[in-house]
Amino acid sequence: MRGVPVRADWSVLVIVALLAWSLAATALRDGAPGYDGLVYGTAAVVTAVVVVGSLLAHELGHAFVALRAGIPVHDITLWMLGGVSRIEGEPDDPRTDLRIAAVGPAVSLAVAAGASVAAIVGTAADGPRIVVACLWSVGWINLVLAVFNLVPAAPLDGGRVLRA
């Protein structure tokens, strides 16, 4: 994407499986009772894949802002604990460092907001409860991801924000 290779470590499959299992066993059943187990399983896998896609969007945010600032990006690797954008060197000034660090959590917050608004609209339109539950799950997971990443500790984005 824009010349940045994207890789996925085999451990991404582990996080997809664990997340799908957790969603199917609890969140989706609680949020949309009465569906068949196959529906919960399928919806959970789709939701887990969407969450991994949102992790990629988070990392792409870092990469694209770095590229726009003229800083080369070697690649993006997704793995079990999230993702990492390998950016060459350090930004020349604190403002650029802040923008690169803050954009990832901002993307996660935007995904959280978008999924939550879609869930609200889906509820108001009496949409399928399972879809609404999936949207709420994507929203909450991305909100947690954004907040966690803003913890002011290295190597999290919050550590870089604090440093900038």
Side-chain angles (χ1 to χ4, degrees):
M1 295 189 191
R2 290 182 82 184
V4 178
V6 176
R7 296 177 172 82
D9 185 80
W10 65 270
S11 63
V12 171
L13 295 175
V14 173
I15 197 63
V16 167
L18 289 172
L19 185 56
W21 172 75
S22 176
L23 288 167
T26 58
L28 298 183
R29 288 183 191 274
D30 293 345
Y35 286 91
D36 180 75
L38 181 61
V39 172
Y40 289 122
T42 303
V45 169
V46 169
T47 302
V49 169
V50 169
V51 168
V52 170
S54 67
L55 287 170
L56 176 59
H58 176 112
E59 293 303 325
L60 286 170
H62 292 305
F64 292 166
V65 171
L67 288 171
R68 186 170 178 172
I71 302 169
V73 178
H74 293 286
D75 60 19
I76 294 172
T77 303
L78 299 178
W79 63 301
M80 184 168 41
L81 297 178
V84 64
S85 298
R86 286 194 321 133
I87 298 170
E88 186 175 302
E90 296 293 327
D92 291 336
D93 61 280
R95 178 175 286 175
T96 302
D97 198 17
L98 177 64
R99 286 192 346 244
I100 293 169
V103 71
V107 169
S108 296
L109 285 174
V111 171
S116 298
V117 167
I120 291 167
V121 170
T123 300
D126 201 27
R129 291 173 303 164
I130 191 73
V131 173
V132 170
C134 291
L135 289 166
W136 279 122
S137 295
V138 169
W140 278 108
I141 291 167
N142 273 278
L143 178 61
V144 168
L145 175 67
V147 170
F148 177 76
N149 269 278
L150 286 173
V151 170
L156 299 174
D157 298 332
R160 294 186 64 103
V161 167
L162 180 63
R163 182 183 73 184

